[in-house]
Amino acid sequence: QVVRNRARQEAPVNTIALTPWQSDADYVNELSKVANEEIYARYLQLREEHFDAPAFYADAADMLLKKGQKEHALRVLSNIVEITGQNSEMVKTYGQKLIEYGEFAEAIPAFEYGVQLREEQPQSYRDLAIAYELAGRYQPALETYHKIISSEWNRFDEIKSIVYAEINTLISRHKKQLDLSAVDKRIIFDMPVNTRIVMSWGTDNCDIDLHITEPTGETAYYAHNRTANGGWVSFDFTDGFGPESYMIKKRWKGEYI
């Protein structure tokens, strides 16, 4: 995916646009040609051939959503968990698709299940905390973020550097609605950041790297994690999942890639 952040003189706001994922699978092309009122029936026919492929259900759900059939899309999407059972990576994918669809409350049970399956991985708790926060359940979000910071993790302990920013953002936005009595006061501090980009992925033992090229042409990445403009890239996760982040206190005008 290419992330672009354009500063427009007539509207000086932060705008980040992601290039949408577009599958080139044959069944996607088939569904795209079907009339809206016939697409679900055609999906049922195609399902007989692709019944055991999680990507089929994700792509079909996206197509149904695009055609304005969100109820059918959600029903199709649930097949990802039904056919993969206790596959934690597929449960994560399902939860993230629900968030993509704006179904924040419905994503919470998926990520709660993800915690049960992978309670040793702090990323599972971070996924759940984000879902809580998006759904407006700020106290559970706070407690889940705090658990990540206050626990010791055999793997991925460096995730705390990401979560520090997220728990402080939550506190700064919703302090009046939060009970902070159980939070270590030493971790609460202002983190004024103009732009923050976070990348995570759903696969263990897999390395994906975040590279951000600033308007000056300088690129921030794991081997050059600080730029002259003040950009900073976090710890390099090489064993899976991430997240990795880029932050800059003062965003310079221009295109970020």
Side-chain angles (χ1 to χ4, degrees):
Q1 299 282 4
V2 177
V3 183
R4 299 185 183 273
N5 187 340
R6 299 179 182 274
R8 300 183 302 172
Q9 293 182 353
E10 69 276 17
V13 297
N14 290 342
T15 302
I16 297 178
L18 285 171
T19 303
W21 161 251
Q22 180 61 55
S23 172
D24 59 357
D26 291 341
Y27 53 74
V28 172
N29 294 329
E30 179 72 20
L31 289 172
S32 66
K33 299 174 184 177
V34 179
N36 287 19
E37 62 273 13
E38 299 174 2
I39 187 172
Y40 187 70
R42 184 61 182 135
Y43 150 76
L44 292 174
Q45 295 172 348
L46 291 168
R47 186 179 64 178
E48 297 179 8
E49 182 180 352
H50 305 282
F51 71 94
D52 59 348
F56 165 71
Y57 297 105
D59 290 338
D62 285 347
M63 185 59 64
L64 285 160
L65 186 71
K66 186 177 180 180
K67 298 277 189 175
Q69 300 189 30
K70 188 173 185 178
E71 184 176 348
H72 279 149
L74 293 171
R75 184 184 306 167
V76 169
L77 197 62
S78 67
N79 284 280
I80 292 176
V81 175
E82 292 175 10
I83 68 169
T84 58
Q86 296 185 335
N87 184 316
S88 61
E89 294 178 7
M90 289 296 98
V91 171
K92 181 185 181 80
T93 296
Y94 174 60
Q96 290 178 332
K97 291 297 289 185
L98 287 172
I99 286 179
E100 181 183 331
Y101 289 5
E103 299 294 326
F104 306 135
E106 286 71 15
I108 290 173
F111 289 127
E112 288 176 336
Y113 184 40
V115 167
Q116 294 176 29
L117 295 175
R118 289 290 183 269
E119 61 182 358
E120 77 282 2
Q121 293 178 351
Q123 290 91 339
S124 300
Y125 292 90
R126 179 177 177 270
D127 291 336
L128 178 58
I130 290 172
Y132 279 141
E133 185 174 357
L134 289 171
R137 296 178 60 181
Y138 303 128
Q139 190 65 34
L142 175 77
E143 294 166 0
T144 308
Y145 282 134
H146 191 256
K147 177 176 176 58
I148 298 172
I149 293 173
S150 60
S151 301
E152 295 297 325
W153 306 96
N154 291 330
R155 297 179 69 198
F156 310 117
D157 198 60
E158 295 82 2
I159 197 174
K160 293 176 184 177
S161 65
I162 303 288
V163 176
Y164 279 128
E166 291 164 342
I167 194 171
N168 279 286
T169 298
L170 176 69
I171 291 170
S172 68
R173 289 176 176 171
H174 307 290
K175 189 172 185 178
K176 293 182 179 179
Q177 299 166 263
L178 295 171
D179 177 4
L180 301 175
S181 59
V183 178
D184 186 340
K185 301 302 183 291
R186 293 175 298 179
I187 70 172
I188 301 176
F189 48 88
D190 289 332
M191 300 183 67
V193 173
N194 179 277
T195 296
R196 182 170 180 262
I197 298 171
V198 181
M199 178 186 71
S200 63
W201 55 100
T203 307
D204 200 357
N205 298 310
C206 173
D207 182 19
I208 298 179
D209 295 315
L210 177 63
H211 291 233
I212 300 294
T213 301
E214 298 177 343
T216 59
E218 187 176 9
T219 297
Y221 67 111
Y222 65 89
H224 180 68
N225 68 346
R226 295 184 185 275
T227 69
N229 287 342
W232 175 73
V233 169
S234 63
F235 178 82
D236 181 24
F237 282 89
T238 61
D239 296 330
F241 298 122
E244 297 181 10
S245 75
Y246 166 87
M247 296 191 295
I248 189 167
K249 186 173 182 179
K250 179 183 178 182
R251 179 175 57 82
W252 295 70
K253 290 182 179 182
E255 183 177 72
Y256 286 72
I257 301 175

